[in-house]
Amino acid sequence: MKKFVFLITVVVLAYSCNQRTADSEIDRFINELMSQMSIQEKIGQLNLITPGADIPTGATVSTDVEEKIKNGQVGGIFGISGPPERIRQTQEMAVNDSRLGIPLLFGLDVIHGYKTVFPIPIGLSCSWDMELIEETARIAAREATADGINWNYSPMIDVSREPRWGRVAEGGGEDPYLNSEIARAMVRGYQQDDLASSYTMMSTAKHFALYGAPEGGRDYNTVDMSRTRMFNIYMPPFKAAIEEGVGCIMTAFNDVEGVPATGNRWLLTNILREKWDFDGFVISDYTSVNEMVDHGIGDLQAVSALALKAGLDMDMVGEAFLTTLEKSLEEGIIIEAYIDNACRNVLRAKYRLGLFDDPYRYIDETLPGKEILTAENLHAARDAAARSFVLLKNKGNILPLDKNQSIALIGPLAYEKSNMMGTWVVSADRQMSVPVLEGMKNVAGEEINIRYAKGANIHDDPDFAEKVNVFGPRIVIDERSPEVMLREAVGIASNADVIVAVIGEASEMSGESSSRSDISLPESQKKLVRALAGTGKPLVLVMMSGRPLTMEEEYELADAILFVWHPGIEAGNAIADVLYGYYNPSGKLTMSFPRNAGQIPVYYNHRSTGRPQEGDEFVKFRSNYLDVPNSPLFPFGYGLSYTTFDYTNLKLNKDVMKPDEEITLFVTVTNTGDLDGEEVVQLYIHDVIRTITQPVKKLKGFEKVFLKAGESKEISFTITVNDLAFYDNDVNFKAEPGEFIVFAGTSSDDVASVSFTLQEKWPDQ
Ligand code: BGC
């Protein structure tokens, strides 16, 4: 066996072990290898198993792992997170003890950092800072690869307009353009331009497709939508990830047009391979092949054959391929070419990762000490967190705080560690999180006058707490009664200059399998906010959450609101940096915040109806509600700063554009306040008259700009015909001639506009 590995190494070296090795050379290598593989060994490559030592995300974990590896029945392992010795031992089993010595992939969910935990993805997206997002992914890759991981199940690029769906925490919000830019940044961060480097890992874009649109916001639920919506809204981030060279795509649990995504040939072959030229490999989601049985598509043998024929290459955990494909082959339900194709796709990924050159490429026992949780990484996490916060209100400029003010720090999330990191923390130690109380003292000095009281439980209901606490205590119900806690908090608050209340969701109140029908604060915390407001003291809310919350009452009662999502390992320090003005907040929402759950879905890029409503006043026979305005509480793109910005001189360089030309928009942005700050300048386009109805606005560009107090800068955006095009009902991407309105401004609902005309159709039809 070892001889074989040596032989392979020689063969690889003889060609080139460079990532950019011509495809034909990779193919020749793989053909040579596959010519020696039995059908069982080929099927083995399609099998991903988990020993279940860490957190499984489904009910099933694999058995007889060691024996299967040695028998060549495993293509990859997932769920082992370091130390490298563990991965080395497992890799040795595959390389030394299996007949052909084919190395394993080691996959893991490294969603927002590995041990250095960054803000949850929706928080990061609110930075609108692609360099920052890329850097967080690059650091995550360096840390995870130091522990031996070579394959990551990130980014999740599911566009979502569904705040009831808990997994909005893991994505970049409601907009296809922004999600596409984030997809590119994250793929670059994880893979860099050299997949075979021992500091990069293969990225997986997930969940293909439409997972972000479950009916009722209930995780794993049915999805149904038109093709124009799919292609204009939900698909673009996947296309972008593929253009950026993503190595792997994960299928979704849901069905698409009635066929589960995992067995959907139209999705996995016609779109992915034929339309978008994807040449990586496709992994199922956790047991999603098996779950096609519950979808009512057939028995395990039938659904496995269907998934393979559809274009699925690897089966996550369910072992449906392993246990049925051979039989299906014998019975003529599938032909060997399907197995070969899938096997080839998996082997190609291993080749690109450099594993045939050196199966231990990612395993270096000296690296964890050098790469993981370094001072630089923690600094980056603190900076990223501060940049992800969104200032929603700041009445009378109550923020930033003054160090001389006495503070009442109140709330169930003010002095604890288990929720700061947010959902999807597989490898990190939650106890390393910096609580807010500590952060306030770190930043303002031990001597600050600060008193703390919990004030309320995150939730008072033990049954609810039990559902949230599946991975450990997130909601800890105090032994004291709610009344006693509240009294203590009010007492402290009444004697302080300012109240800072840190409230919101526990980390597992969002994330996978954490949908909510009511997305407001739990009653225990609503009562706390009311009582604190009742003291008449200035009230600052620091709100943590994995999703937009409905919070009209809290918005009225508070003087200032800083929305911090779940900020990661440096939570407390970053919050204090912003509260004390060491960082001037610059985050902008990437999901609209509904006024109440009945408004859902509410999103900025909706199409116009035939009876549109102007403004928020109710008008009979217009599309509106009797009991709530149409507008959200906070729109997409909204976020304040400690300074103010003005937009002037909006102009285009011409009035008419031809499809082969570009048009440039200029706008001058001025920092009109007293503090330096950053602004996210947003560009939207509306296509005025088309053959199919168009969104009232579509984000088509943004730039984050730093301006000193009083400084002005002219910002320019280049618009090409691609920015004007849309998918029609036949899925043709085209731009139609006519008028376009271009908007620039500080938020989707606060923009100035100019217009121009596109002269001809594109493409020529
Ligand atoms: C999730 C995926 C994840 C996988 C492996 C599934 O339940 O949907 O996003 O990558 O588990 O942990």
Side-chain angles (χ1 to χ4, degrees):
M1 269 69 62
K2 281 191 192 127
K3 255 186 266 145
F4 182 75
V5 174
F6 174 68
L7 221 162
I8 292 174
T9 311
V10 173
V11 175
V12 175
L13 290 175
Y15 286 112
S16 161
C17 56
N18 189 304
Q19 154 104 43
R20 275 175 233 105
T21 304
D23 281 354
S24 57
E25 290 169 3
I26 299 181
D27 284 343
R28 241 173 292 159
F29 169 78
I30 292 173
N31 287 342
E32 162 64 24
L33 175 55
M34 282 181 58
S35 70
Q36 301 170 56
M37 292 172 79
S38 66
I39 195 71
Q40 293 81 4
E41 283 163 335
K42 289 177 188 169
I43 294 171
Q45 287 304 304
L46 318 187
N47 192 30
L48 177 73
I49 59 177
T50 179
D54 297 289
I55 299 174
T57 44
T60 320
V61 290
S62 318
T63 51
D64 305 327
V65 172
E66 204 173 315
E67 196 188 317
K68 282 175 186 152
I69 294 174
K70 292 179 180 166
N71 288 342
Q73 291 174 305
V74 181
I77 299 274
F78 112 82
I80 307 186
S81 57
E85 295 79 11
R86 256 177 103 196
I87 293 193
R88 181 183 293 281
Q89 281 164 11
T90 318
Q91 190 70 299
E92 276 171 357
M93 267 178 230
V95 170
N96 298 337
D97 301 339
S98 73
R99 189 178 77 89
L100 291 173
I102 299 175
L104 297 168
L105 295 169
F106 290 92
L108 196 71
D109 293 277
V110 184
I111 309 294
H112 47 113
Y114 182 63
K115 300 219 169 167
T116 299
V117 178
F118 295 101
I120 53 172
I122 191 162
L124 271 181
S125 73
C126 291
S127 71
W128 295 58
D129 184 335
M130 298 307 121
E131 274 172 31
L132 173 88
I133 291 176
E134 179 175 339
E135 180 64 4
T136 63
R138 192 190 66 82
I139 291 172
R142 283 190 81 97
E143 289 200 350
T145 53
D147 255 355
I149 311 299
N150 51 35
W151 175 26
N152 188 12
Y153 307 144
S154 170
M156 187 191 98
I157 49 177
D158 295 307
V159 170
S160 188
R161 298 163 161 181
E162 234 328 327
R164 290 172 296 181
W165 186 52
R167 298 199 80 170
V168 294
E170 299 172 48
E174 73 191 36
D175 184 72
Y177 180 87
L178 185 60
N179 266 295
S180 301
E181 293 301 299
I182 293 172
R184 289 181 199 278
M186 295 202 73
V187 172
R188 275 198 304 274
Y190 292 135
Q191 299 191 166
Q192 304 283 306
D193 52 8
D194 183 6
L195 204 49
S197 151
S198 53
Y199 295 104
T200 63
M201 55 185 172
M202 183 168 59
S203 166
T204 304
K206 67 189 190 185
H207 307 83
F208 193 63
L210 320 186
Y211 185 42
E215 282 185 3
R218 212 177 66 220
D219 206 2
Y220 318 126
N221 201 10
T222 293
V223 176
D224 205 354
M225 70 171 71
S226 68
R227 289 213 174 172
T228 45
R229 180 169 281 190
M230 279 182 210
F231 281 88
N232 288 304
I233 307 293
Y234 289 84
M235 298 290 206
F238 288 94
K239 186 162 182 284
I242 289 169
E243 283 165 7
E244 206 59 50
V246 72
C248 184
I249 301 270
M250 188 186 293
T251 64
F253 287 119
N254 53 278
D255 59 344
V256 171
E257 297 184 332
V259 183
T262 302
N264 193 315
R265 186 170 169 84
W266 175 72
L267 276 182
L268 304 188
T269 297
N270 301 133
I271 304 297
L272 268 194
R273 304 282 180 192
E274 291 163 8
K275 219 171 158 65
W276 295 343
D277 290 331
F278 176 59
D279 76 341
F281 77 102
V282 180
I283 174 87
S284 75
D285 203 345
Y286 205 111
T287 58
S288 67
V289 178
N290 314 57
E291 290 167 25
M292 286 165 67
V293 176
D294 284 317
H295 274 286
I297 297 297
D299 63 13
L300 192 63
Q301 193 187 346
V303 298
S304 307
L306 187 75
L308 182 78
K309 288 198 266 186
L312 184 77
D313 299 316
M314 201 183 236
D315 170 11
M316 187 190 288
V317 179
E319 303 204 331
F321 278 1
L322 191 77
T323 52
T324 66
L325 289 186
E326 212 181 324
K327 183 160 178 250
S328 290
L329 187 64
E330 281 160 19
E331 291 173 2
I333 299 169
I334 55 169
I335 52 171
E336 192 166 345
Y338 286 116
I339 296 173
D340 284 355
N341 198 33
C343 180
R344 186 169 280 115
N345 290 336
V346 173
L347 294 176
R348 198 184 303 116
K350 294 185 176 183
Y351 189 105
R352 287 178 177 160
L353 281 165
L355 291 174
F356 287 117
D357 172 30
D358 176 5
Y360 306 102
R361 178 175 290 259
Y362 296 86
I363 306 167
D364 175 347
E365 285 76 356
T366 68
L367 279 184
K370 294 185 214 152
E371 294 290 341
I372 296 178
L373 288 168
T374 62
E376 296 81 51
N377 293 0
L378 291 172
H379 176 79
R382 180 168 177 168
D383 184 53
R387 287 168 192 279
S388 69
F389 302 162
V390 186
L391 183 65
L392 298 177
K393 182 175 183 183
N394 195 15
K395 196 168 112 199
N397 289 335
I398 183 178
L399 291 177
L401 300 173
D402 187 312
K403 284 186 198 164
N404 297 318
Q405 287 169 311
S406 61
I407 310 281
L409 183 69
I410 311 289
L413 291 161
Y415 190 34
E416 67 96 65
K417 297 182 170 190
S418 53
N419 293 292
M420 300 299 103
M421 290 186 175
T423 185
W424 265 128
V425 174
V426 175
S427 324
D429 176 2
R430 286 176 183 264
Q431 291 312 309
M432 289 191 68
S433 309
V434 181
V436 181
L437 178 59
E438 248 172 55
M440 297 289 275
K441 290 184 181 167
N442 291 343
V443 169
E446 274 296 328
E447 63 287 357
I448 56 161
N449 185 347
I450 189 163
R451 290 182 67 201
Y452 159 77
K454 182 172 171 183
N457 296 312
I458 294 177
H459 205 298
D460 283 337
D461 178 0
D463 292 340
F464 184 87
E466 199 186 321
K467 294 180 211 163
V468 170
N469 291 348
V470 272
F471 298 137
R474 306 284 186 262
I475 299 180
V476 179
I477 299 184
D478 213 277
E479 284 172 1
R480 293 170 298 169
S481 72
E483 294 72 29
V484 169
M485 279 196 281
L486 203 61
R487 224 174 300 133
E488 181 196 25
V490 168
I492 291 178
S494 307
N495 290 309
D497 294 333
V498 186
I499 308 165
V500 175
V502 191
I503 54 175
E505 287 193 321
S507 55
E508 260 69 39
M509 281 170 69
S510 48
E512 187 169 348
S513 190
S514 300
S515 298
R516 295 176 65 198
S517 66
D518 172 357
I519 58 166
S520 63
L521 279 177
E523 197 51 40
S524 55
Q525 299 187 64
K526 284 187 187 163
K527 283 188 195 152
L528 176 64
V529 174
R530 283 178 207 134
L532 294 175
T535 64
K537 296 286 180 175
L539 175 59
V540 177
L541 299 182
V542 174
M543 297 185 74
M544 290 185 190
S545 171
R547 56 156 60 78
L549 297 177
T550 52
M551 46 188 279
E552 271 197 312
E553 185 186 357
E554 291 73 28
Y555 181 61
E556 289 305 320
L557 292 177
D559 295 281
I561 302 177
L562 186 68
F563 208 87
V564 299
W565 310 100
H566 288 119
I569 191 164
E570 286 285 318
N573 287 332
I575 289 170
D577 286 341
V578 174
L579 291 180
Y580 281 105
Y582 290 99
Y583 180 75
N584 183 354
S586 62
K588 303 273 189 175
L589 297 178
T590 56
M591 271 192 97
S592 306
F593 276 41
R595 293 174 191 272
N596 63 33
Q599 259 190 333
I600 298 170
V602 57
Y603 49 93
Y604 86 94
N605 49 355
H606 58 86
R607 298 198 299 249
S608 182
T609 70
R611 295 188 174 191
Q613 188 202 28
E614 303 291 333
D616 272 345
E617 280 306 305
F618 174 79
V619 184
K620 192 74 182 164
F621 303 123
R622 294 268 119 189
S623 175
N624 49 27
Y625 299 100
L626 285 169
D627 55 353
V628 68
N630 283 2
S631 63
L633 182 60
F634 305 114
F636 176 83
Y638 173 82
L640 303 172
S641 161
Y642 295 155
T643 187
T644 46
F645 299 97
D646 241 26
Y647 285 68
T648 51
N649 298 333
L650 182 69
K651 55 179 191 265
L652 290 161
N653 67 339
K654 55 187 168 194
D655 300 331
V656 176
M657 169 186 166
K658 289 190 181 147
D660 58 349
E661 293 174 351
E662 294 173 347
I663 190 162
T664 309
L665 178 89
F666 299 95
V667 63
T668 303
V669 184
T670 306
N671 180 343
T672 49
D674 299 330
L675 293 171
D676 300 347
E678 285 160 293
E679 166 72 332
V680 179
V681 184
Q682 300 161 41
L683 168 93
Y684 298 90
I685 297 183
H686 172 57
D687 191 346
V688 182
I689 297 184
R690 296 306 137 210
T691 45
I692 62 167
T693 52
Q694 291 294 312
V696 295
K697 271 184 203 119
K698 300 192 258 190
L699 182 75
K700 285 295 167 186
F702 58 88
E703 190 173 326
K704 194 157 187 178
V705 46
F706 173 81
L707 292 172
K708 288 193 170 313
E711 191 187 311
S712 289
K713 251 185 210 161
E714 185 174 64
I715 310 292
S716 65
F717 292 99
T718 303
I719 299 166
T720 68
V721 71
N722 260 312
D723 300 316
L724 309 179
F726 60 90
Y727 287 94
D728 68 12
N729 286 335
D730 300 318
V731 198
N732 295 315
F733 191 58
K734 65 179 191 187
E736 295 177 350
E739 187 189 354
F740 289 84
I741 303 178
V742 189
F743 309 86
T746 184
S747 158
S748 64
D749 77 340
D750 186 359
V751 284
S753 66
V754 285
S755 69
F756 70 93
T757 303
L758 177 70
Q759 218 172 33
E760 294 151 22
K761 270 191 188 168
W762 176 85
D764 285 340
Q765 290 145 47

